Each structure stands twice: as C-alpha cells, then as structure tokens.
Amino acid sequence: MNRIPSMDRDAERAIEWDCGQVLLRFYDAFDAWDYAAMVALCTDDVVWHRAGKALTGRAAIVAELERRPTTQTIRHVVTNLLVDVRDAGQADARLYLTAWRHDGAGRR
C-alpha cells in the first residue's frame, strides 16, 4: 500500500471507506434489481466490463441488465476489498466477487 505523503491519514481512510461503500451498495442494488440506484452510483462516463462486454454509460448498463431473466435470484458476495487512494479525487479498488444464482420457475 502506497501512502500519499501530503494526505492526512484520516482523509485517506474516509476515501477508502466511501469507495468501499459505493462498491457494496452497487452490488446490493444489483441484487435487488434496482438498476436506477445502481447506476446512480456511477459517473456519467462509466464503463462497466461485464460478461465479456464493455457497457458505456448508465443507459447502456440498464438496457443490458433489463434483458436478464426475471426468474433469477442473484446474490453477489464481495470479499477482500482493498482501496488504494491515488489522490483526493481518485482511488483504485480490488476485490473478489462471488455470484450466487438461482433460477426459479416463477418471476421474481
């Protein structure tokens, strides 16, 4: 982990926390089929790499996700989340993501 010499450690921790919360809330909204809340967490120029596709922009993400079968129940489990702060406006995150899926007979 590289510390930023000019940044107060409390400020750095706050950024780490906020970034982690955004990622957890993103997948929580995904699992709840709340795509509006999910993409609201993203910047306007978001690019999401998912299932071999690069989805650019909030509308493209929502359009792709609305194609999902409505009989599925999905739960994403986020572990080993690490956030490295570059500066006050940028950070990098790494995590493990396990997706559990059940395809039931009826609509969700």
Side-chain angles (χ1 to χ4, degrees):
M1 182 180 330
N2 296 329
R3 297 278 178 239
I4 303 166
S6 62
M7 184 176 285
D8 176 82
R9 181 61 183 133
D10 288 337
E12 192 174 11
R13 276 191 202 94
I15 294 168
E16 291 167 356
W17 171 261
D18 289 347
C19 289
Q21 287 297 298
V22 166
L23 288 164
L24 293 172
R25 290 177 190 285
F26 179 89
Y27 285 106
D28 184 63
F30 189 178
D31 291 347
W33 297 74
D34 189 351
Y35 304 141
M38 186 178 142
V39 298
L41 295 165
C42 301
T43 59
D44 291 335
D45 61 348
V46 61
V47 177
W48 188 27
H49 296 271
R50 178 180 182 271
K53 296 180 184 177
L55 304 170
T56 302
R58 294 175 179 149
I61 292 170
V62 171
E64 178 69 20
L65 293 178
E66 285 179 344
R67 297 178 46 210
R68 292 173 59 207
T70 58
T71 57
Q72 292 181 351
T73 300
I74 305 283
R75 294 295 176 262
H76 291 85
V77 179
V78 176
T79 57
N80 296 19
L81 174 60
L82 296 173
V83 176
D84 293 321
V85 178
R86 288 187 186 190
D87 58 37
Q90 295 183 7
D92 297 314
R94 298 181 307 285
L95 57 90
Y96 286 101
L97 182 66
T98 304
W100 298 90
R101 181 180 72 191
H102 172 72
D103 201 346
R107 293 176 58 100
R108 61 176 170 83

